[in-house]
């Protein structure tokens, strides 16, 4: 088939002239494949989280610096702006989850950010005793348990039921650890009370879910009965 | 020879990595069409065997403190389905970190190279060696080796990796000042799309015509392009204050002793100045022929790349950290990369496909990817009595292509065209 305007021969795959865009009558029996695949390579709209994070942090740090300067001008020494700066550093460590692909780095940064924020508050209010013996270890233990659980979730690719039981177990552990630390801080003697009331039912549910997770048939039966 | 664990980028490749953007990377694509539908499993096997002989293609791009460098990798790139808009920027991670893509559409095999890895000669060597291995595995037929079809039983040679720019560098280098060139305007296509139009021409007919005008095919086709741009300027009443310039890549292996599979090419920019008046085809041919003779010779080319190598070797450039150097190169590429020519015309020339292999192959193709600031580029390859000339552009208007092919038709040459708009 020839384009009557351009005089060029069109390959069977063409149904209009690519040069002058004249539509030509399709020849009979032409089942020719198009010259290129119909698929389109489109990378879509990727959001550049790293860039956005850096931009947000830049604005936060600039505003933090301005706050600091205002504080110096008004009071002559840094007082309330220290809280603002500590909070900004904490937000920055939170934002690192968007920035780093390796989430462990962000998790460690996050721990330091939180500890630092609370340290600042304790230091400014003469509460170092409270901070060192209660808050710091407690936050560290909770952080460790949460990180370990998330690590297990990701690495072991658990079934839903087993993930639920692990989650419940972590909560029970956190409750017990918290009471132990509070007891040690206030009386130096461990006397578990409220955490047991809270964690025992949780542990029982956790155990039941854990046992059920081995029984596929039972899970299917439950699913069948209670599906929404 | 044990392949190197890492190597420096060659001198010509330095500009490509910093210029990479999500919407733009300097890419080119070589295709070969077989008579039967391609078997992807056999192709993967052939690719695995080929990369053992041609390890210079199994490198990934990494960023060092002062320069980018290439690091050896194992495995093969994934074999992808072909698309309507080829030569998008490679997402290295999705491509197993390889710097070339392998795409298959029915009977056609396409390799899309990031220019930092190799130039046309290296690309053709990989494509043909891979095709020979594929034919051997699929049909059990041994076909002959040529200069571009390497024997997989041989060991990789050291010379195939070398940076030939450094080897042939001279004592004196000068980078000549260029003037800005006329650019074609038009409505931009969406950033991920590319207009592709391929024309197939009988090489004998073209040769006869070239004999009439006493010039080579490259000179003739370039001259026709100059005429098209001149017509567009006249039709659109465009200002003629800037000359029309066409950048023609030159394979330096023709002038210097080298078998490298990495970049070893330069370019020349012949021009015509339409503000002096309208040129006829004969005048343009005379002009282009003279300019090419003046520019394409060993001494001029050596001084050109020596200037670039000297620049790379300057102490203050070497100690600049990568991120500063690359930002500077990226900006300079954006501002000046496409400023000095209207379009690029790369003529690979004739590819010698052995008779035994011709039974399994129908055609080949060569095209250049989306340009950064100019409207498009033209690439051309010849094999088995046919010449395939492919226009890629990033604008809707196809006036340039239409003028080019209608001019050839009016000179008595039969042209058949296909495009990526078919079936739309």
């Amino acid at each position: 088939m020839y384009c009557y305007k351009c005089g060029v021969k069109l390959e069977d795959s063409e149904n209009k002239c690519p040069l002058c865009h004249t539509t030509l009558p399709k020849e009979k029996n032409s089942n020719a494949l198009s010259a290129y695949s119909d698929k389109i390579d489109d990378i879509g709209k990727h959001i550049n989280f790293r860039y956005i994070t850096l931009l947000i942090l830049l604005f936060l740090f600039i505003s933090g610096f301005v706050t600091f300067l205002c504080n110096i001008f008004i009071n002559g020494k840094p007082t309330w702006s220290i809280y603002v700066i500590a909070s900004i550093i904490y937000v920055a460590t939170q934002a690192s989850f968007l920035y780093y692909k390796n989430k462990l780095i962000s998790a460690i940064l996050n721990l330091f950010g939180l500890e630092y924020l609370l340290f600042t508050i304790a230091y400014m209010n003469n509460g170092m005793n409270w901070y060192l013996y209660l808050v710091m270890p407690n936050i560290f233990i909770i952080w460790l348990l949460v990180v370990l659980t998330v690590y297990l979730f990701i690495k072991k690719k658990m079934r839903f039921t087993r993930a639920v039981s692990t989650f419940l177990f972590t909560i029970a552990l956190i409750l017990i650890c918290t009471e132990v630390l509070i007891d040690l801080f206030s009386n130096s003697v461990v006397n578990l009370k409220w955490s047991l009331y809270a964690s025992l039912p949780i542990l029982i549910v956790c155990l039941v879910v854990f046992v059920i997770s081995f029984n596929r048939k039972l899970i299917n039966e439950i699913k069948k009965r209670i599906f929404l | 020879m044990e392949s190197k664990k890492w190597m420096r980028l060659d001198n010509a490749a330095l500009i490509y990595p910093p210029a990479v953007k999500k919407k733009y990377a300097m890419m080119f694509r070589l295709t070969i069409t077989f008579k039967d539908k391609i078997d992807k499993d056999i192709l993967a096997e052939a690719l695995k065997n080929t990369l053992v002989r041609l390890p210079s293609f199994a490198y990934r791009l990494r960023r060092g403190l002062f320069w980018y460098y290439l690091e050896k990798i194992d495995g093969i790139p994934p074999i992808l389905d072909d698309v309507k808009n080829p030569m998008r920027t490679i997402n290295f991670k999705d491509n197993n970190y390889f710097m070339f893509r392998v795409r298959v559409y029915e009977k056609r095999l396409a390799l899309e190279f990031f220019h930092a890895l190799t130039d046309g000669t290296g690309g053709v060597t990989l494509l043909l060696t891979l095709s020979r291995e594929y034919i051997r595995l699929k049909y059990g037929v041994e076909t002959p080796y040529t200069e571009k079809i390497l024997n997989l039983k041989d060991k990789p040679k050291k010379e195939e990796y070398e940076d030939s720019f450094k080897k042939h560098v001279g004592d004196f280098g000068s980078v000549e000042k260029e003037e800005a060139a006329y650019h074609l305007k038009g409505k931009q296509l969406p950033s991920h799309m590319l207009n592709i139009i391929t024309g197939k021409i009988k090489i004998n007919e073209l040769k006869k015509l070239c004999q009439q005008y006493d010039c080579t095919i490259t000179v003739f086709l370039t001259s026709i392009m100059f005429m098209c741009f001149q017509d567009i300027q006249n039709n659109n009443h465009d200002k003629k204050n800037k000359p029309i310039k066409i950048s023609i890549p030159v394979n330096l292996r023709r002038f210097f002793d080298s078998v490298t599979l990495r970049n070893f090419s330069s370019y020349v920019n012949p021009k015509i100045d339409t503000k002096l008046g309208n040129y006829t085809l004969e005048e343009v041919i005379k002009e282009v022929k003279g300019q090419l003779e003046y520019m394409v010779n060993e001494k001029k080319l050596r001084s050109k790349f020596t200037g670039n190598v000297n620049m790379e070797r300057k102490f203050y450039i070497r100690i600049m950290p990568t991120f500063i150097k690359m930002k500077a190169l990226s900006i300079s590429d954006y501002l000046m990369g496409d400023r000095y020519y209207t379009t690029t015309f790369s003529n690979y020339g004739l590819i010698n496909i052995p008779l035994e292999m011709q039974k399994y192959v129908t055609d080949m193709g060569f095209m250049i990817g989306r340009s950064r600031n100019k409207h498009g580029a033209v690439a051309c390859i010849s094999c088995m009595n046919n010449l395939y000339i492919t226009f890629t552009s990033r604008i809707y208007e196809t006036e340039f292509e239409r003028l080019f092919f209608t001019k050839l038709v009016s000179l008595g040459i039969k042209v058949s065209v296909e495009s990526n708009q078919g079936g739309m």
Side-chain angles (χ1 to χ4, degrees):
Chain A
M1 189 168 46
Y2 285 84
C3 171
Y4 56 83
K5 274 192 184 169
C6 305
V8 294
K9 185 175 182 251
L10 302 181
E11 294 287 345
D12 293 342
S13 55
E14 305 300 311
N15 52 12
K16 65 177 181 182
C17 175
L19 305 174
C20 63
H21 308 298
T22 310
T23 315
L24 298 159
K26 192 108 181 152
E27 279 184 0
K28 277 175 191 172
N29 302 329
S30 71
N31 290 325
L33 271 169
S34 56
Y36 289 81
S37 159
D38 287 336
K39 233 171 105 176
I40 287 180
D41 183 9
D42 187 6
I43 45 167
K45 280 179 186 163
H46 277 282
I47 301 169
N48 191 344
F49 284 112
R50 292 181 81 123
Y51 181 72
I52 293 171
T53 318
L54 286 179
L55 208 65
I56 292 171
L57 287 185
L58 183 71
F59 279 116
L60 276 177
F61 278 111
I62 289 171
S63 47
F65 185 64
V66 173
T67 318
F68 179 74
L69 284 184
C70 292
N71 191 201
I72 295 276
F73 278 124
I74 295 165
N75 299 69
K77 61 176 184 175
T79 50
W80 45 269
S81 67
I82 292 175
Y83 292 107
V84 177
I85 290 166
S87 314
I88 286 177
I89 290 172
Y90 173 65
V91 172
T93 59
Q94 288 282 357
S96 69
F97 277 105
L98 287 177
Y99 191 80
Y100 288 109
K101 272 197 182 146
N102 187 349
K103 300 295 177 203
L104 186 64
I105 299 174
S106 327
I108 293 169
L109 280 176
N110 201 3
L111 171 70
F112 282 112
L114 192 58
E115 296 274 20
Y116 173 69
L117 177 66
L118 289 165
F119 168 79
T120 315
I121 295 170
Y123 184 77
M124 297 291 286
N125 297 296
N126 298 323
M128 283 311 280
N129 188 34
W130 163 79
Y131 172 74
L132 283 177
Y133 297 107
L134 181 64
V135 176
M136 195 171 78
N138 201 3
I139 285 177
F140 179 70
I141 288 167
I142 294 174
W143 177 85
L144 198 67
L145 287 171
V146 170
V147 167
L148 278 177
T149 319
V150 172
Y151 178 78
L152 276 178
F153 279 169
I154 295 167
K155 281 288 159 181
K156 292 281 170 187
K157 286 180 185 153
M158 288 183 193
R159 255 182 257 156
F160 178 70
T161 40
R162 230 163 278 173
V164 168
S165 70
T166 318
F167 174 68
L168 291 175
F169 185 70
T170 313
I171 289 183
L173 266 186
I174 289 175
L175 289 175
I176 292 169
C177 288
T178 311
E179 194 178 11
V180 168
L181 279 171
I182 293 174
D183 280 358
L184 282 176
F185 177 69
S186 51
N187 311 322
S188 309
V189 182
V190 180
N191 186 10
L192 292 179
K193 267 183 193 162
W194 60 264
S195 69
L196 280 185
Y197 296 124
S199 55
L200 263 180
I202 294 177
L203 279 175
I204 290 168
V205 175
C206 160
L207 198 70
V208 170
V209 175
F210 188 69
V211 171
I212 288 175
S213 73
F214 285 96
N215 193 336
R216 266 283 158 91
K217 254 188 181 173
L218 188 61
I219 294 173
N220 280 337
E221 192 64 29
I222 293 171
K223 265 189 194 166
K224 197 168 77 183
R225 297 288 167 90
I226 62 164
F227 79 94
L228 289 171
Chain B
M1 197 205 108
E2 184 67 20
S3 49
K4 282 184 186 173
K5 285 267 182 288
W6 71 277
M7 52 190 187
R8 286 160 166 266
L9 286 182
D10 55 71
N11 181 259
L14 288 176
I15 188 67
Y16 302 122
V20 171
K21 293 279 168 292
K22 206 156 64 177
K23 294 173 183 174
Y24 163 81
M26 188 58 209
M27 306 275 293
F28 65 93
R29 164 173 155 128
L30 287 156
T31 59
I32 188 164
T33 312
F34 294 100
K35 286 199 173 137
D36 296 323
K37 199 173 168 181
I38 290 174
D39 186 327
K40 283 187 182 176
D41 295 334
I42 298 178
L43 184 67
E45 177 80 26
L47 189 60
K48 205 172 129 195
N49 298 347
T50 312
L51 284 180
V52 176
R53 172 67 185 86
L54 298 170
S56 67
F57 291 93
Y59 277 85
R60 67 178 284 196
L61 190 68
R62 301 213 77 164
R63 186 198 274 253
L65 189 58
F66 298 108
W67 296 101
Y68 277 91
Y69 62 94
L70 300 173
E71 188 184 72
K72 184 87 181 76
I73 46 172
D74 297 321
I76 57 164
I79 291 173
L80 308 167
D81 289 329
D82 205 1
V83 289
K84 209 184 195 81
N85 55 337
M87 293 176 285
R88 295 289 311 280
T89 305
I90 298 183
N91 182 342
F92 290 127
K93 201 175 166 194
D94 294 348
N95 203 41
N96 299 349
Y97 296 103
F98 277 83
M99 287 160 76
F100 68 96
R101 266 199 209 108
V102 183
R103 289 192 188 279
V104 169
Y105 175 62
E106 299 289 328
K107 301 171 186 175
R108 186 177 59 210
L109 163 67
L111 299 182
E112 294 173 15
F113 296 91
F114 179 39
H115 217 322
L117 180 67
T118 183
D119 60 5
T121 310
V124 166
T125 310
L126 177 67
L127 182 68
L128 289 182
T129 312
L130 174 64
S131 305
R132 186 203 178 270
E133 179 65 4
Y134 173 76
I135 289 168
R136 189 185 74 84
L137 289 175
K138 187 162 187 198
Y139 307 99
V141 182
E142 293 282 346
T143 54
Y145 304 106
T146 63
E147 200 185 324
K148 296 275 175 291
I149 304 178
L150 304 180
N151 189 343
L152 297 192
K153 285 171 194 149
D154 291 348
K155 288 252 160 70
K157 288 175 198 146
K158 200 181 162 192
E159 298 80 51
E160 288 164 6
Y161 288 92
E162 70 179 14
D163 180 354
S164 294
F165 289 109
K166 299 252 164 64
K167 190 179 164 190
H168 295 285
V169 71
D171 299 327
F172 177 77
S174 74
V175 181
E176 275 173 31
K177 233 183 166 187
E178 297 263 355
E179 55 181 322
Y182 165 77
H183 273 194
L184 210 58
K185 290 180 189 70
K187 194 180 164 205
Q188 300 287 321
L189 284 167
S191 66
H192 63 285
M193 289 308 287
L194 190 65
N195 240 341
I196 304 171
I197 298 175
T198 304
K200 188 168 98 179
I201 300 164
K202 282 266 171 270
I203 210 158
N204 297 339
E205 291 181 7
L206 197 63
K207 262 187 185 162
K208 258 184 217 164
L209 203 64
C210 290
Q211 272 166 9
Q212 273 180 35
Y213 286 98
D214 186 28
C215 63
T216 62
I217 290 181
T218 307
V219 170
F220 182 74
L221 294 177
T222 313
S223 308
I224 298 269
M225 278 174 217
F226 274 124
M227 291 299 288
C228 298
F229 283 122
Q230 181 179 270
D231 286 359
I232 291 174
Q233 273 190 341
N234 289 338
N235 296 344
N236 297 354
H237 305 291
D238 283 351
K239 274 186 189 167
K240 294 182 177 177
N241 49 358
K242 288 178 187 165
I244 303 166
K245 293 166 84 173
I246 295 181
S247 174
I248 302 179
V250 181
N251 183 4
L252 293 175
R253 294 170 189 82
R254 275 168 52 204
F255 302 92
F256 304 94
D257 175 35
S258 166
V259 288
T260 186
L261 295 173
R262 296 169 64 195
N263 281 299
F264 194 41
S265 48
S266 185
Y267 61 91
V268 291
N269 299 341
K271 64 169 184 181
I272 61 164
D273 210 342
T274 43
K275 68 171 173 274
L276 305 179
N278 277 338
Y279 283 77
T280 61
L281 182 59
E282 286 79 7
E283 282 170 344
V284 175
I285 288 175
K286 213 171 149 188
E287 188 82 18
V288 173
K289 209 170 139 186
Q291 287 182 25
L292 286 186
E293 267 169 21
Y294 171 71
M295 292 188 275
V296 182
N297 56 59
E298 195 199 313
K299 289 187 177 61
K300 277 250 163 21
L301 291 169
R302 193 197 295 271
S303 109
K304 200 168 192 170
F305 73 74
T306 302
N308 291 333
V309 173
N310 286 348
M311 196 70 190
E312 181 196 335
R313 282 177 171 171
K314 285 215 166 75
F315 183 69
Y316 65 87
I317 288 193
R318 283 159 76 169
I319 58 157
M320 224 185 261
T322 317
F323 70 97
I324 297 176
K325 193 153 40 195
M326 294 305 141
K327 204 77 215 165
L329 277 174
S330 171
I331 292 169
S332 73
D333 179 73
Y334 178 74
L335 293 176
M336 300 185 289
D338 285 340
R339 189 175 148 82
Y340 302 121
Y341 35 90
T342 314
T343 190
T344 304
F345 172 48
S346 179
N347 184 1
Y348 185 80
L350 183 68
I351 289 188
N352 172 25
I353 299 179
L355 273 177
E356 291 85 343
M357 210 166 141
Q358 286 184 16
K359 287 177 200 158
Y360 305 97
V361 175
T362 54
D363 61 48
M364 288 188 74
F366 176 28
M367 60 181 88
I368 299 174
R370 201 181 154 90
S371 310
R372 199 165 180 186
N373 285 330
K374 62 184 190 311
H375 87 281
V378 190
C380 165
I381 198 166
S382 326
C383 72
M384 298 188 290
N385 300 326
N386 285 318
L387 179 140
Y388 301 91
I389 183 161
T390 303
F391 291 73
T392 45
S393 95
R394 42 179 267 175
I395 57 173
Y396 279 97
E397 291 81 358
T398 49
E399 183 65 4
F400 173 55
E401 290 88 331
R402 191 185 70 78
L403 282 172
F404 180 84
F405 286 120
T406 47
K407 269 193 202 313
L408 286 184
V409 170
S410 66
L411 287 166
I413 291 177
K414 290 190 194 81
V415 181
S416 58
V417 292
E418 68 173 21
S419 72
N420 66 343
Q421 300 150 23
M424 272 166 94

